[in-house]
Amino acid sequence: MDSMDWALLRELQDDARLSYSELSRRVHLSPPAVAERVRRLETAGVITGYHAHVDLTKAGRHVVALIRMSCYGPRCVLRDPEVLNWPEVLEVHRVTGDACSILKVVTASMEDFESTIDRLAPYGQPSSTMVLSTPLRWRPLSPLSPTVDQGSRSSE
Amino acid sequence: MDSMDWALLRELQDDARLSYSELSRRVHLSPPAVAERVRRLETAGVITGYHAHVDLTKAGRHVVALIRMSCYGPRCVLRDPEVLNWPEVLEVHRVTGDACSILKVVTASMEDFESTIDRLAPYGQPSSTMVLSTPLRWRPLSPLSPTVDQGSRSSE
DNA sequence: GCTGAAACGAGGTAAGC
DNA sequence: GCTTACCTCGTTTCAGC
């Protein structure tokens, strides 16, 4: 994970559809070297996937919520593979504190959201926080030690 | 947004690096038709971007937290473009309830996390929930009305 | 939206440093 | 480990239907 790997990660986090050739131009490395490095990042599990991001509202999801689940008894959303497969559940995090997990849920309507809450209730006490807007939807990961971009040399 | 658009979204959410030709094979549409539809989805803002996802731990981020900010006074993280640019702040959501916003923060160490909390404190009361693990990191958006995949016709 | 053709670009390989 | 050169293949784009 040197500065060249981070340069590649920066570009691929910004635009996952860049070709190896275009990447090679941006990071000033030859295409074969770029291809090898990217494959290494993939097989090492540093890159977990390439995903198109879809606008929730334009996809008809007008309700976004974070639900804190306080599970009790034998059932828990963390242990139930069924809940993890519900299409309206986009993320599940196990957390510290009073709650055992936090779910990111998106639905088309409040009616659908109410249905989700009803289906979650048997697992424990759901506490919903509605998302009004999202000023920052996503940020790419940057290198820990401020690595200087080596892509702006005069050798173009 | 017909079923063909959703088929393309399904594939691109799963693998954003697929070529138009490969997409055309998977959804059983000609490459030019695929290219036109994808560009329409991009310009319409349905697709907001294509992003490589990076493993947080492998990128050296061993601390993941959700921070509820109860802002007071004139300053608020929602209004401050500086906080939105902090590299350790990956998401910011404005929410209902006691808190005004929830931040997803990742740092290399607890020491760095403590520093983030200190820098957030002037904006309001930060309440941190640590993420222990993430059973479901991300789920692709699926069509609202169960759309039957039209890609399995016998005309291959 | 499909087909066909043509041009362009991309990706992979191998040799050399 | 990176680079350059080459070659093959795929992809993209445009035409017309």
Side-chain angles (χ1 to χ4, degrees), chain A residues 9 12-13 16 41-42 45-53 138, chain B residues 12-17 50-55 137-138:
Chain A
L9 286 179
L12 285 173
Q13 284 182 101
L41 290 170
E42 291 169 354
V46 177
I47 296 175
T48 60
Y50 304 97
H51 305 288
H53 286 206
W138 187 81
Chain B
L12 285 173
Q13 286 182 99
D14 183 60
D15 184 0
R17 284 179 71 74
Y50 304 97
H51 305 289
H53 286 206
V54 175
D55 184 285
R137 185 185 308 275
W138 187 82

Side-chain angles (χ1 to χ4, degrees), chain B:
Chain B
M1 290 288 293
D2 57 10
S3 65
M4 187 55 72
D5 285 328
W6 275 110
L8 292 169
L9 287 179
R10 174 168 49 83
E11 297 297 333
L12 285 173
Q13 286 182 99
D14 183 60
D15 184 0
R17 284 179 71 74
L18 290 174
S19 67
Y20 293 141
S21 302
E22 178 60 28
L23 278 173
S24 76
R25 290 181 211 111
R26 300 196 180 194
V27 305
H28 298 276
L29 207 68
S30 68
V34 165
E36 186 189 348
R37 277 177 176 265
V38 171
R39 294 206 184 91
R40 279 185 60 253
L41 290 170
E42 291 169 354
T43 57
V46 178
I47 295 176
T48 59
Y50 304 97
H51 305 289
H53 286 206
V54 175
D55 184 285
L56 295 177
T57 301
K58 294 213 167 78
R61 265 54 169 213
H62 302 287
V63 176
V64 182
L66 299 171
I67 306 180
R68 298 169 64 252
M69 287 298 297
S70 301
C71 295
Y72 48 78
R75 301 180 77 182
C76 177
V77 291
L78 296 174
R79 304 277 169 84
D80 195 317
E82 191 199 344
V83 173
L84 297 178
N85 283 325
W86 290 0
E88 70 266 41
V89 177
L90 298 192
E91 296 178 24
V92 176
H93 304 276
R94 186 182 181 190
V95 295
T96 62
D98 295 338
C100 78
S101 60
I102 294 184
L103 284 62
K104 181 180 180 183
V105 168
V106 300
T107 60
S109 64
M110 272 295 177
E111 185 181 347
D112 292 340
F113 183 69
E114 188 174 355
S115 159
T116 300
I117 296 293
D118 288 341
R119 280 177 281 124
L120 280 174
Y123 294 90
Q125 179 75 16
S127 174
S128 302
T129 298
M130 310 310 292
V131 174
L132 296 169
S133 62
T134 301
L136 179 61
R137 185 185 308 275
W138 187 82
R139 171 190 300 292
L141 228 54
S142 46
L144 283 171
S145 45
T147 305
V148 176
D149 177 20
Q150 299 189 353
S152 52
R153 290 175 297 178
S154 58
S155 61
E156 176 113 5

